[in-house]
Amino acid sequence: MSAGDGSKVRWAVIGTGNICSDFCAALKLVDNAETVAVAARELPKAQAFAKRFGIGKAYGSYDELARDRSLAVDVCYVGLINTKHKDVVCELLRNGRNVVCEKPLGMTVEEVKEMVKVARDNKSFLTEGFWTRHFPAFKKIDEIVSEGTIGRVSAIHCDFGFLAAQDSRTRLKELGGGAIYDIGCYTVQYATHLLGTPAKSWRPLSIAAAGVMDPVEQVDLNGGISMTFDDKSDPSARLRTLAVLHFGTDGRRSQTARILGDKGHVEVHRIMHCPTHVTCVLYTDGGSVRDDHTFELPAWRPGEGGIPEDFRFFFANSEGLAYEAERVGQCVKEGLLEMPECPLDESIAIAQIMQTAREQMGGQQMGE
Ligand SMILES: NC(=O)c1ccc[n+]([C@@H]2O[C@H](COP(=O)([O-])OP(=O)(O)OC[C@H]3O[C@@H](n4cnc5c(N)ncnc54)[C@H](OP(=O)(O)O)[C@@H]3O)[C@@H](O)[C@H]2O)c1
């Protein structure tokens, strides 16, 4: 894979946790990307990570990397726990760094708005790491929908979740846990991308959410959001589209999505946030015709191309982070300040939806 004009895109990685490890390995699959620096809360951790991935510079604090004038870097990848995103990203942006930050961009709408403002004020590139958008299979969905193959889209259904350990980051309030933050955001971005309208800042017309809260941690374990949107295709403005989103960290899920049209539907097979297989089903008089599209992930082998011999990805399909890295590299090389397919105003809208949903999920239970 290649990222643009031939010169190397120099990356810094902020954090040494699971996703940072996956991202570093995926960067090895992008031809003209190189990782030049890594920062962790403790220097020995950063040094060990640097040694493992052949990275030249290690920093014992995130701010030290952000402020080091001698460090020439094109873009920083932030893969920290959710509660750290805002402060660390803003410090990087204020120091003129370009940033891709893992989802969710911030914990609240206010945080996300602040991050976007700092990026714009400093004329730095910022994007939320919705890697889904860069998968060839997701682009295929876009193509099928935008070309009208399945007709008028009336609804999308998403079901995403897994069983997280009780002590997992995703279930602890202090570490920014909650199913909506960890995976619900992926289902929301399906809705805003496929049903939202840029002219309306991707905002739904209505939203109703319910959730099962962990009574001790007060984070959501299992939640659902229903939203209606204006129908972009209906000039009479009488029709609406519907998103039905389900997410949870309290048990296995189908990890699939469906986009429903009046001529057919798209099935997004497991795993819907990093898809490799979609089926377009077209209705006929007597039944239906199925058209399968399968995409190979970027190939890699342990011990080759700078990937450590004992390397294993922590998360399924993480090779696909290379698609995101390649696209971010292109944007930065072109001097863009936002990624056209992941606009920052959409990130604000997503944060707004999630905040409204969290408020509704945390409300009083019936009968209390
Ligand atoms: N794109 C994806 O598919 C995907 C998958 C998983 C996670 N994520 C996102 O990536 C982020 C990190 O998730 P992860 O699974 O990689 O988490 P993780 O393995 O637990 O790593 C946590 C990271 O946060 C840093 N951190 C800073 N303060 C911390 C604190 N007080 N306690 C614990 N860690 C602290 C750690 O820093 P040091 O390295 O400095 O110790 C480490 O880099 C989250 O925003 C998550 O939503 C994305």
Side-chain angles (χ1 to χ4, degrees):
M1 299 180 69
S2 126
D5 65 6
S7 65
K8 295 244 180 201
V9 178
R10 295 159 299 181
W11 286 82
V13 174
I14 314 298
T16 58
N18 296 347
I19 195 65
C20 290
S21 173
D22 281 12
F23 194 81
C24 267
L27 276 175
K28 309 267 186 204
L29 308 175
V30 180
D31 281 347
N32 53 357
E34 64 175 332
T35 312
V36 297
V38 57
R41 286 170 294 173
E42 294 145 18
L43 185 58
K45 224 171 162 182
Q47 285 169 330
F49 192 92
K51 191 170 170 208
R52 180 161 170 74
F53 288 102
I55 300 169
K57 274 191 150 180
Y59 295 81
S61 94
Y62 312 133
D63 286 356
E64 200 188 329
L65 184 151
R67 294 170 192 166
D68 182 358
R69 295 280 132 229
S70 73
L71 176 67
V73 62
D74 295 306
V75 55
C76 300
Y77 170 81
V78 174
L80 306 176
I81 54 168
N82 303 336
T83 49
K84 296 280 175 188
H85 290 183
K86 195 264 286 174
D87 286 347
V88 173
V89 167
C90 287
E91 188 60 21
L92 287 162
L93 294 168
R94 282 192 199 98
N95 283 281
R97 310 296 190 185
N98 298 313
V99 178
V100 49
C101 175
E102 266 306 336
K103 39 48 67 175
L105 200 49
M107 298 291 292
T108 61
V109 183
E110 285 318 303
E111 283 198 4
V112 173
K113 282 186 174 169
E114 185 180 335
M115 294 160 92
V116 170
K117 182 174 184 328
V118 174
R120 288 176 174 161
D121 287 351
N122 287 276
K123 300 199 169 16
S124 289
F125 174 89
L126 174 65
T127 195
E128 184 169 15
F130 280 126
W131 62 320
T132 314
R133 301 263 166 111
H134 310 289
F135 278 74
F138 194 78
K139 291 183 182 170
K140 178 51 88 177
I141 300 168
D142 252 348
E143 186 187 304
I144 293 168
V145 170
S146 62
E147 288 179 355
T149 311
I150 57 169
R152 177 192 167 252
V153 171
S154 58
I156 72 166
H157 298 169
C158 294
D159 174 40
F160 188 22
F162 63 97
L163 179 60
Q166 187 65 57
D167 61 353
S168 142
R169 159 187 74 70
T170 64
R171 291 177 71 157
L172 299 176
K173 186 167 191 164
E174 194 194 344
L175 301 185
I180 189 167
Y181 284 128
D182 202 52
I183 51 180
C185 60
Y186 283 117
T187 67
V188 173
Q189 67 88 36
Y190 255 78
T192 53
H193 182 73
L194 291 167
L195 303 182
T197 57
K200 289 193 175 286
S201 304
W202 296 272
R203 285 198 182 82
L205 296 167
S206 68
I207 171 166
V212 177
M213 306 297 286
D214 179 320
V216 179
E217 283 293 323
Q218 285 303 309
V219 302
D220 60 299
L221 297 173
N222 181 359
I225 305 177
S226 299
M227 291 186 280
T228 57
F229 289 84
D230 258 340
D231 184 344
K232 303 187 251 202
S233 70
D234 175 30
S236 74
R238 291 171 66 190
L239 298 174
R240 301 278 183 261
T241 59
L242 177 70
V244 179
L245 314 175
H246 184 206
F247 44 85
T249 54
D250 62 345
R252 290 176 164 187
R253 296 285 193 288
S254 71
Q255 307 197 343
T256 58
R258 250 169 206 243
I259 299 104
L260 309 180
D262 58 6
K263 293 185 187 163
H265 67 262
V266 180
E267 294 172 2
V268 187
H269 301 278
R270 190 179 182 94
I271 307 166
M272 53 79 74
H273 79 310
C274 47
T276 55
H277 181 195
V278 301
T279 304
C280 180
V281 181
L282 294 182
Y283 309 142
T284 59
D285 286 344
S288 61
V289 176
R290 297 174 67 85
D291 190 9
D292 275 312
H293 304 272
T294 304
F295 301 85
E296 295 295 326
L297 289 165
W300 66 284
R301 278 189 207 204
E304 284 184 10
I307 294 184
E309 194 69 57
D310 63 347
F311 184 80
R312 292 289 175 276
F313 282 110
F314 283 99
F315 302 106
N317 294 0
S318 272
E319 302 90 319
L321 287 164
Y323 302 129
E324 174 185 59
E326 181 184 30
R327 180 67 185 124
V328 169
Q330 282 168 353
C331 290
V332 167
K333 285 281 178 194
E334 286 169 20
L336 300 183
L337 298 182
E338 295 193 26
M339 186 183 282
E341 55 271 56
C342 295
L344 290 172
D345 283 342
E346 186 184 2
S347 286
I348 294 173
I350 289 170
Q352 237 141 11
I353 291 168
M354 300 218 304
Q355 186 155 315
T356 304
R358 281 199 322 280
E359 284 163 10
Q360 294 185 9
M361 288 193 300
Q364 290 280 302
Q365 306 292 312
M366 295 261 296
E368 283 185 16

